[in-house]
Amino acid sequence: MTNHLNLSISFVTSSIILFIVLGFVQYVPVTLDIILRGDVVMWTLGRSLMEESGYIKYLKDIFLVAYGVYWPVKLTFTTSNATAILAMKAYFIWLFLVFIFGVVGFFLDLSPLFFLLAGVRWLLLLHVAFGFFILALVSGTHIREDNLIFNVLLFTLSVNVLLIFFQLRLVGIEHGLSIGSSRLTGVFSNAGLAGFFSVSVALLSVVYLDISQNKKTLLLFLCLIVALASGTRFAMICVFLCFSFVLFDILKARLDRKLLIVIFVFALPVATVIFYSTMIDVVGRGDIFETSLASGGRIDNFIRYSSILLHAEPVEFFFGRGLGIGTNTAFSLVNAVGGLPESYRFNWLVDNTLLTVFFQLGLIGSIVFWTGVLSVFILSYFICSSKVSKYFKLLIAIFILSLFTSNLFEQYYLIITYMFVLGVICNKSQRLFDQNNNDVSNTNT
């Protein structure tokens, strides 16, 4: 039988709560002050307003550093789970190789060394995310505080939605904008981050929390409001997918199997079309495919920058131009000193994880990086039991979608949630396997 880590309530639950809350409170003082002044910021606060938040905005970074140091030590000394220990050793070898390939560009003087700070930052975030994966993988279930986590998620969502309604009232009066086209930030520094927050809570609600369907539906409804207000179509689609899973579970418990199949064969495609059309109308930025193909759209950018890479110098093609290049943090660093971010080769924001990784690591480093990422998902797939496979498919769908809509590995709420939920799925699968083996043993006895 698998040895699980006997984690106290203060570790598992507090890890999740701190992850949610510390990302949430970063700019609360600033956003509240703006609301009290009768003003509203759309899309992003901007650097000057973000600086007004003071030291509170660094709490998340302190948490990341502390957790990044703590989880390997805790795992080493408190678990005998051979799978987890082996995974940790393989992970550190892989992370070291990624770092080595990521600094080649600096040694070859292809990019200024200060970009490395941005690279270390997203590697730290990835390291913490893997720690959450291991946390979920080896956690026992003898202590669960799902209601406490539910209350925290409900509170953060409710506060955010309340601020959104205040913001919406202001932009509606002054500019006549709708909830989707206004791109409201809520308590966050920009609307995109608000959308990612809604995806994170939606996934935790559907996959992790053992709560009633009514409570899940409430959380998802609030997530949908946040996603709509952010104007982030990626977030809207992901929350809609999570809603569909909960709806399926509700109907499955109440309807005949044949009737359920008929409903989903005919009703789901219609509902999807209606949702997509409504989303396009609410956001007001045109059809996703048309805007992606248009100049400056995501598909157009992918084709254009891929063409540039194919004509790159051999050294930068095979090794990239160094960790941190092409990230939001790198842009902020250059802007902070009054420079022009895009004047540095490959330092381009393209909202595409595949390209951004290639910018930094080149062909060889990208192969090493993606081999490690795919290995985790492939091994998880083989661990995954049929009873939780639907959650695995949901996660994979959202993960792949996010690769082509953002630079995933610097998105705090997305990457940590993905890895934690993946660990939860593997944990549930292992427990089902252990339970079946025990049932067989008891029957034979």
Side-chain angles (χ1 to χ4, degrees):
M1 185 173 179
T2 304
N3 292 314
H4 292 282
L5 183 59
N6 291 323
L7 296 168
S8 66
I9 182 176
S10 61
F11 188 62
V12 182
T13 303
S14 63
S15 294
I16 301 170
I17 292 175
L18 284 172
F19 157 62
I20 291 293
V21 172
L22 292 182
F24 181 84
V25 301
Q26 280 187 290
Y27 301 102
V28 167
V30 174
T31 52
L32 286 177
D33 182 60
I34 292 172
I35 287 290
L36 291 174
R37 293 200 311 258
D39 200 358
V40 63
V41 175
M42 291 178 286
W43 172 236
T44 185
L45 288 176
R47 185 173 182 83
S48 59
L49 286 174
M50 290 167 65
E51 289 297 327
E52 293 180 13
S53 193
Y55 292 109
I56 193 172
K57 66 177 180 290
Y58 297 115
L59 290 177
K60 184 186 75 176
D61 296 316
I62 294 172
F63 166 69
L64 290 175
V65 172
Y67 194 88
V69 172
Y70 184 63
W71 78 256
V73 176
K74 187 170 184 67
L75 180 68
T76 301
F77 291 103
T78 57
T79 185
S80 58
N81 188 318
T83 302
I85 295 296
L86 180 63
M88 184 178 71
K89 290 179 179 178
Y91 158 75
F92 275 111
I93 293 172
W94 170 80
L95 187 66
F96 176 74
L97 289 174
V98 170
F99 180 80
I100 291 299
F101 282 108
V103 298
V104 170
F106 300 115
F107 278 106
L108 297 176
D109 202 26
L110 297 178
S111 299
L113 190 60
F114 68 81
F115 278 116
L116 183 58
L117 178 62
V120 170
R121 194 176 191 279
W122 78 258
L123 282 185
L124 171 63
L125 185 54
L126 181 64
H127 173 65
V128 171
F130 191 81
F132 268 80
F133 168 75
I134 294 294
L135 169 68
L137 184 66
V138 302
S139 296
T141 57
H142 63 293
I143 297 177
R144 291 291 297 254
E145 283 292 312
D146 290 347
N147 284 328
L148 176 58
I149 297 174
F150 165 77
N151 289 331
V152 171
L153 296 180
L154 180 61
F155 175 77
T156 53
L157 280 169
S158 299
V159 170
N160 203 52
V161 168
L162 185 62
L163 285 178
I164 284 171
F165 284 146
F166 277 113
Q167 292 172 333
L168 181 61
R169 181 174 177 272
L170 290 171
V171 297
I173 292 173
E174 295 182 12
H175 306 288
L177 296 175
S178 66
I179 188 171
S181 59
S182 54
R183 307 221 68 179
L184 300 172
T185 61
V187 300
F188 296 98
S189 59
N190 66 68
L193 183 57
F196 298 151
F197 167 73
S198 70
V199 176
S200 174
V201 175
L203 273 174
L204 289 173
S205 303
V206 173
V207 182
Y208 177 67
L209 293 183
D210 185 15
I211 54 178
S212 69
Q213 300 293 8
N214 289 338
K215 288 183 176 180
K216 288 188 178 185
T217 303
L218 174 59
L219 290 179
L220 289 170
F221 176 72
L222 294 174
C223 285
L224 188 57
I225 293 175
V226 175
L228 285 170
S230 73
T232 307
R233 292 171 294 194
F234 161 77
M236 296 181 207
I237 293 170
C238 294
V239 175
F240 175 74
L241 287 174
C242 292
F243 241 128
S244 299
F245 267 71
V246 172
L247 178 61
F248 178 83
D249 287 338
I250 292 173
L251 294 178
K252 185 179 179 181
R254 300 178 181 180
L255 300 178
D256 177 73
R257 180 179 175 82
K258 292 181 179 179
L259 179 59
L260 182 63
I261 292 174
V262 171
I263 289 174
F264 268 81
V265 168
F266 293 100
L268 185 59
V270 174
T272 301
V273 171
I274 294 173
F275 171 80
Y276 181 81
S277 300
T278 304
M279 178 183 69
I280 298 303
D281 292 338
V282 168
V283 173
R285 299 205 307 274
D287 183 87
I288 293 177
F289 300 104
E290 291 179 0
T291 55
S292 296
L293 288 168
S295 178
R298 287 188 170 92
I299 296 176
D300 175 72
N301 281 341
F302 182 80
I303 295 172
R304 181 157 55 91
Y305 287 110
S306 295
S307 177
I308 293 174
L309 288 174
L310 292 175
H311 295 89
E313 295 294 327
V315 172
E316 62 184 6
F317 178 81
F318 285 105
F319 296 103
R321 297 188 70 91
L323 285 169
I325 296 293
T327 62
N328 290 297
T329 306
F331 259 60
S332 298
L333 288 173
V334 179
N335 280 325
V337 296
L340 190 63
E342 293 185 330
S343 64
Y344 294 93
R345 188 162 167 81
F346 285 14
N347 192 42
W348 307 316
L349 293 181
V350 293
D351 289 330
N352 186 292
T353 307
L354 302 178
L355 284 177
T356 303
V357 171
F358 204 105
F359 290 161
Q360 299 180 68
L361 304 176
L363 178 63
I364 298 175
S366 293
I367 291 173
V368 172
F369 180 83
W370 290 112
T371 298
V373 173
L374 289 175
S375 296
V376 173
F377 281 103
I378 291 171
L379 290 173
S380 299
Y381 171 77
F382 284 111
I383 294 173
C384 187
S385 71
S386 58
K387 290 187 177 181
V388 295
S389 62
K390 64 178 182 178
Y391 299 119
F392 182 81
K393 293 172 184 175
L394 172 66
L395 177 61
I396 290 297
I398 294 177
F399 177 84
I400 292 174
L401 183 61
S402 61
L403 293 180
F404 296 94
T405 55
S406 66
N407 180 20
L408 170 61
F409 295 105
E410 61 173 339
Q411 300 303 337
Y412 173 81
Y413 276 119
L414 293 186
I415 188 60
I416 291 180
T417 301
Y418 290 170
M419 293 304 293
F420 180 75
V421 167
L422 183 63
V424 169
I425 293 169
C426 292
N427 185 298
K428 288 182 178 180
S429 297
Q430 186 61 58
R431 289 184 178 281
L432 287 171
F433 177 78
D434 292 342
Q435 183 179 348
N436 290 336
N437 282 348
N438 288 337
D439 291 342
V440 171
S441 299
N442 293 334
T443 301
N444 291 336
T445 302

